[in-house]
Amino acid sequence: MKPISLTLRGFRGIRDGLGRDELHLDLAALSGGASLVALVGCNGRGKSTVLDNLTPFLTMPSRAGGDGGGSFHYYEHVCLPESTKELVWEHAGQRYRSTVLIRTNGRRKTEAYLHEWRDGWRAARLPDGTQSDGRIDSYERCVESLLGTPRAFFVSVFAAQGRRHLAAYDNGEIKALLADILGLDAIRALGIQANEVVKLLRGGLTRLRQESAQCEVDLARIVTNHGVFGDTAARAGEALALRTARAAGVSAAERELARAEALATQEADTDSRRRRLEDELAQIDGLELAGRQDRAALRQRELARDGQASRRMVARAKAAAERRVRARAERSEWENLLALEARIVRAGRRLGLARQVLSAREAAVQVNLEQVLELQERQAERRRLAEAIAAIEREAGQVLLRSEDAGRRACLTGQVPCRGHAMQAACQLLADARTAAMQSSSLQAERSRLLRERDGFADSLVRVDAQIAVLESAPMCLRRARSALEATRNSVAARADWAGRAVALGRARAALARLDEQQRAADLADTSGDAEDARERECATNELARIDAIDAREEERCSAQRTRVRQAIADLPVSQGAERVASARAALAQARQSLDWAENSYVNAMRDQQRQADLTSQRADVGIRRDRLAARVRLVEAELGYWQLLTKAFSNDGVIALAIDDAGPALAALANDLLLACYGGRFSLSIQTQVANANGQMRESFDVLVYDADAASSKSVSEMSGGERVWINECLTRAIALYLAQQGGRQYRTLFSDEADGALDSDRKRMFMAMKREVLRIGGYDQEFFVSQTPELADMADVCIDLDKYCVSEQEGLPKDWPDDHAVI
């Protein structure tokens, strides 16, 4: 993979560092085939932004955790509604173009396209038919099919800012990383598939065990229920015998009832006489009750008539009292009005004068209002004049500055070295001085005109200030006039109200006469109504006394008849036939109830016997199902053991760990070669994939052990100093890239590093650059793009691309024909 050109539009790092919305770099032309290309410039110029975007992956590794595997999106790093990244790059002799569109106007959306050059740019297509159509997933699949996974790329080829050293990875992370780099994804995929099978088998085994446990529960429940029923056959025989005995008892009770009914027929005449007397006694009671009800209705009617008369008298008295209250209130109102007669007449006489005063004060308010409006106009005119004077003074000041600048430049006419020489016609400085001399006189005239115009506005301002001083008291006079006008209006309204009551004086006198006449008529009607109601109540009282006398006579007569009939009933002989029949019928009902209970007992016994037989059949079925489930559980447990072994074999601690062990010596040898070529023979390293635990047993792990020849000791890379860790990490990561190239994997033509030399001293930094050239030589790389804040390292590069030259503030003084995207090399 080799970048050809890069165009960034709308990226915040470019806007903040260079003041540009768009930056284009023709990397092929700028580098000119150089091996080491340095991106230089002041802090904050956007060097890391440019370097992060020199790869087709959809990430900026310095913002995504350094290894490119962190969470990342472009939206926080762009500043335009639609930002773009276009990278033209080459890989395996084929040219590609990556285009990323980032939209933030409204709903956020990112589109990515990958095109390849085949007699024109065409959408990239994979052998399986996947085509880059703008969707993120299709673009990433196309890029990964060409360059591998981002994690492998950013660990072995791209050294971003803030990336973790390999020694900081834990056992699982480093093994996953090395498996990805060494192309062990197929083995890991098999392990994942085997683990999925293990999960499915565990789920199925759990379900089978649950079903087996449920079978045990069902079997225990069936056995318990079977034992509850006991000996159902014996209980069925006992119930049958009891039902036969109770049926015989019912037959005997039916015969006894027939005998009692025959004896009762013989006593029918006596019973008939007794029934007739009882009917007569009931008739007497009925006639007595009917007469009592009729007299009660008459009594209620008379009481109602008396109550109505009494209520009418009370209502009449209440209405008379209310009428007198209303009459007194109305009389008081009219008498109060007549008492104000003198005040009403006086208000009518003074109403005309008050209205004349009101008209005069309204005219005064209008005059004061016109003065206030004129004052506001003069004040607005004064503000406009002051603003015009300030604007003219600003413009005159600017003209003065321009005139002084033109004078200074005109003075250079006699000081230019080329004056009098043949090249003075092409001297831009001399031409600018002569132009300034011609502009100086016109600027002086322009300033004189502005000063005259300012003096005219100043005279107008003095005149307006004099007018404002005359009208300053107008607002106070207007407030006083309005206050007097409001008081006059209230006075006129009050007098008009009193004068309007003069018409009501005549109505008051007529109303008092009408009230006296109505009172006399009402008193006469109340006296006549009370006399009529008193007569009505007396009639009702007499009628009630007559009804009470009738009640006494009827009660005495009915009592004598009732005594005679009861004596006749007592003289009849006593009959026992009905009692015998009732007793026989009760015995028959009890016998039939006992028979029904016996029938139910027999039916329940037969039902229990059938249920017990069903439970016996269910116990046999559940036992067979339990045995089958136990066999299936044993089969699944055996199969689960096989797949668990397969999962472990294809995990990071299985075949992958063995492959890493095979690659470890080769990686260590390459890293040691780089250390020897760049830093001498002091340090050498080895890769440890297993360590001994407290029990002396070996367990899977990962560590880089460094031997220091000067100290004749070994220690973990995590225990070394910051600068030493940088050497070891850079050599190890570059060794990974060399190992991939030598093993026939993906061959990358370009390396990238971003300020990886920060922790090194000056001597070690020069050795660091030597290591870069050695890596390029051993691995057969074309070039490396790197960012460094050390001027000495930048000087050691073959080509420097200086981003300071792209800054808008520094390009304002460049010639017009200088290209906007030019880089100093």
Side-chain angles (χ1 to χ4, degrees):
M1 180 271 173
K2 181 178 181 181
I4 305 300
S5 67
L6 174 66
T7 302
L8 299 177
R9 180 176 180 273
F11 276 72
R12 193 178 300 278
I14 303 302
R15 165 73 71 82
D16 296 343
L18 303 178
R20 291 175 171 272
D21 288 334
E22 183 172 346
L23 175 67
H24 174 74
L25 294 175
D26 187 353
L27 299 171
L30 294 176
S31 62
S35 296
L36 288 179
V37 181
L39 295 175
V40 298
C42 299
N43 287 334
R45 286 301 191 206
K47 300 185 294 298
S48 294
T49 301
V50 172
L51 192 67
D52 285 347
N53 286 284
L54 289 182
T55 71
F57 293 102
L58 296 179
T59 184
M60 295 173 65
S62 64
R63 273 74 170 176
D67 57 359
S71 175
F72 176 80
H73 57 76
Y74 283 104
Y75 304 117
E76 302 299 330
H77 304 284
V78 295
C79 56
L80 294 181
E82 181 171 314
S83 305
T84 60
K85 167 191 172 181
E86 182 175 298
L87 175 67
V88 179
W89 51 285
E90 185 178 284
H91 182 69
Q94 178 66 43
R95 181 164 292 195
Y96 299 92
R97 184 181 68 188
S98 296
T99 305
V100 183
L101 303 179
I102 307 104
R103 295 186 176 92
T104 58
N105 50 348
R107 184 171 177 267
R108 290 180 170 183
K109 185 178 181 182
T110 301
E111 298 178 8
Y113 301 88
L114 180 64
H115 297 85
E116 56 183 345
W117 180 263
R118 297 196 305 269
D119 297 331
W121 291 113
R122 303 180 185 276
R125 183 186 296 272
L126 297 180
D128 62 359
T130 302
Q131 181 176 346
S132 178
D133 55 1
R135 293 180 292 113
I136 299 298
D137 56 348
S138 64
Y139 175 85
E140 290 179 340
R141 287 183 59 189
C142 291
V143 172
E144 290 183 14
S145 68
L146 297 172
L147 303 181
T149 62
R151 181 168 58 178
F153 183 87
F154 289 111
V155 168
S156 61
V157 178
F158 197 113
Q161 279 192 38
R163 69 168 179 170
R164 289 192 298 168
H165 291 176
L166 293 179
Y169 286 74
D170 58 26
N171 181 40
E173 289 178 326
I174 193 63
K175 287 188 176 180
L177 174 62
L178 292 177
D180 192 6
I181 293 174
L182 297 176
L184 303 178
D185 293 337
I187 297 177
R188 176 178 307 196
L190 290 176
I192 293 174
Q193 293 174 0
N195 189 43
E196 292 295 329
V197 174
V198 168
K199 291 180 180 179
L200 294 174
L201 288 176
R202 283 175 177 171
L205 181 61
T206 301
R207 181 176 57 80
L208 290 176
R209 286 173 175 171
Q210 290 176 349
E211 292 180 2
S212 180
Q214 185 62 40
C215 286
E216 294 292 344
V217 173
D218 294 341
L219 189 61
R221 176 179 54 79
I222 291 171
V223 172
T224 302
N225 293 337
H226 188 280
V228 169
F229 289 111
D231 190 358
T232 54
R235 286 195 290 110
E238 293 175 357
L240 179 61
L242 180 62
R243 185 186 67 171
T244 303
R246 296 295 169 82
V250 169
S251 299
E254 290 176 347
R255 291 193 297 271
E256 183 65 24
L257 176 61
R259 187 165 49 254
E261 289 177 347
L263 293 174
T265 302
Q266 298 174 4
E267 298 176 352
D269 295 338
T270 303
D271 293 338
S272 176
R273 172 63 179 168
R274 182 179 289 103
R275 284 194 296 274
R276 286 197 298 272
L277 290 175
E278 290 175 351
D279 292 342
E280 184 179 358
L281 182 61
Q283 185 178 7
I284 292 172
D285 293 339
L287 291 174
E288 183 183 11
L289 178 61
R292 189 180 296 113
Q293 291 176 349
D294 292 340
R295 289 188 294 275
L298 292 174
R299 183 182 293 104
Q300 188 65 29
R301 186 186 62 187
E302 295 302 325
L303 289 173
R305 187 172 67 169
D306 180 71
Q308 290 175 357
S310 176
R311 287 192 294 274
R312 284 197 298 272
M313 294 176 69
V314 172
R316 194 178 295 110
K318 184 177 180 180
E322 293 175 353
R323 186 173 58 253
R324 291 189 186 93
V325 171
R326 289 196 300 272
R328 281 196 298 271
E330 187 176 359
R331 180 182 299 277
S332 175
E333 182 179 354
W334 292 117
E335 288 176 351
N336 291 337
L337 181 60
L338 290 175
L340 299 173
E341 182 175 5
R343 186 172 182 179
I344 292 171
V345 172
R346 184 171 61 256
R349 288 197 303 269
R350 301 185 63 181
L351 180 60
L353 179 61
R355 287 175 175 169
Q356 293 176 2
V357 174
L358 178 62
S359 299
R361 290 185 173 174
E362 287 177 346
V365 168
Q366 184 62 31
V367 171
N368 290 326
L369 182 59
E370 293 174 354
Q371 292 177 354
V372 169
L373 294 176
E374 184 177 359
L375 175 60
Q376 293 175 351
E377 292 177 357
R378 297 287 80 77
Q379 290 175 342
E381 183 179 0
R382 187 185 187 285
R383 287 193 296 271
R384 289 195 296 272
L385 290 172
E387 292 173 357
I389 290 172
I392 290 172
E393 288 179 347
R394 286 194 300 272
E395 186 175 359
Q398 294 174 358
V399 170
L400 178 59
L401 293 176
R402 291 165 53 195
S403 175
E404 292 176 352
D405 181 64
R408 284 193 301 271
R409 287 187 289 151
C411 291
L412 298 176
T413 306
Q415 301 175 7
V416 176
C418 62
R419 182 182 180 187
H421 295 279
M423 62 178 297
Q424 68 177 0
C427 180
Q428 184 66 29
L429 182 59
L430 182 59
D432 181 66
R434 289 173 178 174
T435 302
M438 290 186 291
Q439 291 177 350
S440 178
S441 59
S442 61
L443 291 173
Q444 291 290 342
E446 177 67 14
R447 183 170 181 272
S448 300
R449 182 186 62 79
L450 290 173
L451 293 177
R452 288 194 301 273
E453 188 175 350
R454 183 198 63 182
D455 294 339
F457 281 127
D459 295 339
S460 300
L461 183 63
V462 172
R463 175 178 53 81
V464 171
D465 288 339
Q467 294 176 355
I468 291 174
V470 174
L471 298 173
E472 281 182 346
S473 61
M476 180 63 72
C477 294
L478 178 61
R479 288 194 294 272
R480 292 175 180 173
R482 283 179 174 172
S483 177
L485 176 62
E486 185 65 22
T488 304
R489 283 177 178 169
N490 294 335
S491 177
V492 169
R495 285 184 172 82
D497 181 61
W498 283 103
R501 300 181 185 181
V503 181
L505 293 176
R507 291 200 302 272
R509 296 186 182 91
L512 290 175
R514 176 178 52 78
L515 288 174
D516 292 339
E517 181 63 27
Q518 288 177 353
Q519 184 63 37
R520 286 193 296 272
D523 291 343
L524 181 61
D526 289 343
T527 302
S528 175
D530 289 343
E532 182 66 25
D533 288 337
R535 288 193 297 271
E536 184 74 15
R537 294 190 66 187
E538 184 178 0
C539 293
T541 301
N542 294 334
E543 185 64 22
L544 288 173
R546 186 181 67 80
I547 291 172
D548 291 340
I550 293 174
D551 270 345
R553 290 195 301 272
E554 286 296 322
E555 186 177 358
E556 184 178 356
R557 183 179 63 79
C558 290
S559 178
Q561 291 179 355
R562 194 179 295 109
T563 301
R564 177 180 58 79
V565 172
R566 287 176 178 169
Q567 184 61 41
I569 292 173
D571 294 340
L572 291 175
V574 177
S575 176
Q576 297 181 353
E579 295 179 359
R580 285 195 298 270
V581 171
S583 177
R585 287 176 177 171
L588 178 61
Q590 185 176 3
R592 287 175 176 172
Q593 185 177 3
S594 298
L595 178 61
D596 292 340
W597 182 85
E599 287 282 355
N600 291 333
S601 298
Y602 178 71
V603 171
N604 291 334
M606 295 302 294
R607 187 183 297 114
D608 291 345
Q609 190 175 11
Q610 181 62 37
R611 288 179 179 175
Q612 194 175 41
D614 293 341
L615 289 174
T616 301
S617 176
Q618 291 178 11
R619 180 172 60 186
D621 294 341
V622 172
I624 294 172
R625 185 165 179 266
R626 179 192 60 184
D627 296 339
R628 290 176 179 174
L629 287 174
R632 290 185 64 187
V633 167
R634 290 191 296 272
L635 178 61
V636 174
E637 286 176 345
E639 191 71 16
L640 179 60
Y642 301 148
W643 283 99
Q644 286 176 336
L645 179 60
L646 189 60
T647 300
K648 186 175 181 180
F650 288 151
S651 67
N652 288 340
D653 297 333
V655 177
I656 293 177
L658 296 176
I660 293 173
D661 289 342
D662 290 341
L667 289 175
L670 290 172
N672 289 330
D673 291 342
L674 293 175
L675 286 171
L676 180 62
C678 302
Y679 303 111
R682 177 182 176 183
F683 293 112
S684 61
L685 61 85
S686 61
I687 297 176
Q688 305 293 326
T689 59
Q690 289 186 330
V691 296
N693 57 17
N695 298 327
Q697 298 177 352
M698 303 302 292
R699 63 177 179 85
E700 293 294 329
S701 180
F702 182 86
D703 193 13
V704 178
L705 194 64
V706 181
Y707 176 75
D708 188 349
D710 292 349
S713 63
S714 299
K715 57 183 175 181
S716 173
V717 69
S718 60
E719 299 176 1
M720 302 181 72
S721 66
E724 292 172 343
R725 280 201 302 269
V726 171
W727 307 339
I728 302 303
N729 187 73
E730 290 301 317
C731 289
L732 188 57
T733 55
R734 294 314 184 195
I736 292 174
L738 294 175
Y739 179 82
L740 291 178
Q742 294 175 2
Q743 295 299 318
R746 291 184 174 87
Q747 177 66 45
Y748 302 107
R749 308 299 302 172
T750 307
L751 300 177
F752 308 86
S753 62
D754 189 357
E755 298 187 17
D757 59 326
L760 303 178
D761 56 30
S762 58
D763 293 336
R764 299 302 180 185
K765 287 183 178 181
R766 285 190 291 272
M767 294 180 182
F768 186 70
M769 291 298 293
M771 186 201 72
K772 290 182 180 293
R773 294 191 182 276
E774 185 67 14
V775 170
L776 294 177
R777 184 187 64 80
I778 296 175
Y781 295 102
D782 290 343
Q783 60 185 181
E784 177 177 352
F785 290 90
F786 70 95
V787 175
S788 176
Q789 296 294 344
T790 305
E792 293 82 355
L793 294 189
D795 293 339
M796 295 175 68
D798 299 328
V799 170
C800 291
I801 300 177
D802 189 357
L803 292 185
D804 288 340
K805 300 303 180 180
Y806 288 83
C807 185
V808 172
S809 61
E810 296 185 6
Q811 288 188 358
E812 291 176 351
L814 293 178
K816 295 182 179 179
D817 57 350
W818 194 285
D820 288 343
D821 57 349
H822 182 74
V824 177
I825 302 177

